[in-house]
Amino acid sequence: KSYDVLANPAQRRAYDSVDPTFDEAVPPSNANSKAKFFEVFGPVFKRNARWSKKGPVPRLGDDKSTYEEVDSFYSFWYDFDSWRVFSYYDKEDTEKAESREERRWMEKQNKSARQLKKREEMSRLRSLVDHAYACDVRIKRFKEEEKQQKEKQRLAKAAAAKAAAEEKERIQREQAEAERLIREKEEEERKTQVEAARKEREKQKKAMQKERKAFRTLCQEYKYFSTDADRVQQMENVERLCESLTIVQLEKVRKDIGATADADAAKATF
């Protein structure tokens, strides 16, 4: 019968699953397990690796293991897929069933017992992984490094935001200063133009006053081209010309009168 068991793959697996020499103990999560983490948990994971359907099974590693290695290890064991079965513990021998109904009942009882054993086995392995994770000094270090990295990123982000805000403020200040300089320049140019226009008007005013004075003096020399009877009227005509003619026109009239040979010709020109 032993040969039949060993020759049958299903029965051989059932037999191997209940190795009486296998140590199913799970180390507790305590100070000693934390202090001697690798010595305590390393051998336990190594002997439980025999039940894995998948390979290769990652090792616990050591204190120098990388975050990726440790993460891969726990990911594997938290999703551990065991080939271990518990049909060897079946209490009901279906071959002894006297009817189909009794055989089905026996199979149902055996299946229920196997599922219970399987759940207990998975719970045992889950406890092993949970205790290891709680005691693993690397996890605390990785979390602290992650915290520091996040804090570093937060500070870098804050610094970048501050720098961006300062740069924006600097650009705004420069733009405001440039706009102020433009306004000042425009205002200065406007004032220059206004002053130039004022000076030009003042110049034209003085030139007109000079030309009017010269015209009046010339007319006065010719006694306003009149007799005593109409002198007042002619003086008024002279003033109307001074007020109505432009400086160019007034200058031309003055020069034309000044170019005449005698009083009669001057009067005629006037």
Side-chain angles (χ1 to χ4, degrees):
K1 186 175 181 180
S2 297
Y3 176 78
D4 292 337
V5 170
L6 296 176
N8 187 302
Q11 293 182 359
R12 175 61 184 267
R13 174 163 291 190
Y15 176 79
D16 290 341
S17 296
V18 294
D19 183 355
T21 63
F22 180 72
D23 183 2
E24 299 194 18
V26 173
S29 177
N30 56 25
N32 181 65
S33 295
K34 291 181 179 179
K36 300 180 179 180
F37 175 73
F38 297 105
E39 294 89 339
V40 171
F41 284 94
V44 180
F45 278 105
K46 186 176 182 180
R47 65 173 175 261
N48 277 278
R50 64 183 287 188
W51 307 123
S52 178
K53 284 184 179 180
K54 296 181 291 185
V57 179
R59 299 298 183 183
L60 182 60
D62 53 33
D63 192 56
K64 295 181 180 180
S65 297
T66 64
Y67 171 85
E68 290 73 18
E69 291 170 339
V70 174
D71 183 66
S72 177
F73 172 82
Y74 283 107
S75 295
F76 180 92
W77 281 94
Y78 269 120
D79 293 329
F80 192 81
D81 189 8
S82 174
W83 57 262
R84 201 174 187 188
V85 295
F86 300 94
S87 57
Y88 194 81
Y89 290 112
D90 289 351
K91 293 182 179 180
E92 305 295 338
D93 187 354
T94 56
E95 294 182 359
K96 295 181 180 180
E98 295 180 358
S99 65
R100 181 181 298 175
E101 289 74 16
E102 184 179 10
R103 181 183 181 87
R104 287 177 177 173
W105 180 85
M106 289 179 174
E107 289 176 346
K108 185 177 180 181
Q109 293 298 111
N110 289 338
K111 182 179 180 181
S112 178
R114 293 175 192 174
Q115 290 175 341
L116 177 61
K117 287 285 186 181
K118 186 70 172 180
R119 285 196 296 271
E120 290 175 350
E121 170 66 0
M122 296 313 296
S123 177
R124 183 186 71 83
L125 289 171
R126 179 59 183 252
S127 294
L128 169 62
V129 182
D130 285 343
H131 289 185
Y133 191 87
C135 295
D136 196 336
V137 293
R138 299 170 300 181
I139 301 300
K140 182 179 180 180
R141 184 175 73 245
F142 291 146
K143 287 183 176 180
E144 183 61 30
E145 289 174 353
E146 182 181 12
K147 181 180 178 181
Q148 292 176 357
Q149 181 63 22
K150 287 183 178 180
E151 179 64 12
K152 183 178 179 181
Q153 291 174 349
R154 185 190 69 80
L155 293 175
K157 185 177 180 181
K162 181 181 179 182
E166 290 176 347
E167 178 63 13
K168 182 179 179 180
E169 184 179 352
R170 183 190 65 78
I171 292 173
Q172 289 175 341
R173 285 199 307 270
E174 290 182 353
Q175 289 177 341
E177 179 64 14
E179 291 172 358
R180 185 187 66 79
L181 293 174
I182 291 173
R183 289 194 300 271
E184 285 186 355
K185 183 179 180 181
E186 290 176 346
E187 180 63 17
E188 188 64 28
E189 290 176 350
R190 186 191 68 80
K191 288 181 179 179
T192 301
Q193 291 173 356
V194 169
E195 181 62 18
R198 186 192 67 77
K199 289 181 178 180
E200 181 61 24
R201 287 195 302 272
E202 188 66 24
K203 179 181 178 181
Q204 291 295 327
K205 182 179 178 181
K206 289 181 178 180
M208 177 60 81
Q209 289 175 346
K210 181 178 179 181
E211 186 59 39
R212 284 172 178 172
K213 183 178 180 181
F215 183 69
R216 288 188 185 105
T217 300
L218 178 63
C219 292
Q220 187 178 11
E221 291 176 355
Y222 282 100
K223 297 181 179 180
Y224 297 101
F225 313 104
S226 64
T227 62
D228 292 340
D230 62 353
R231 185 160 299 163
V232 173
Q233 180 64 42
Q234 286 293 78
M235 290 176 68
E236 292 178 354
N237 290 338
V238 168
E239 289 303 316
R240 278 198 295 273
L241 287 174
C242 287
E243 294 297 328
S244 62
L245 296 180
T246 65
I247 188 171
V248 175
Q249 292 171 331
L250 195 61
E251 182 182 14
K252 183 176 184 306
V253 172
R254 179 180 59 79
K255 287 181 177 181
D256 287 346
I257 293 174
T260 57
D262 51 41
D264 292 335
K267 182 178 181 180
T269 303
F270 177 74

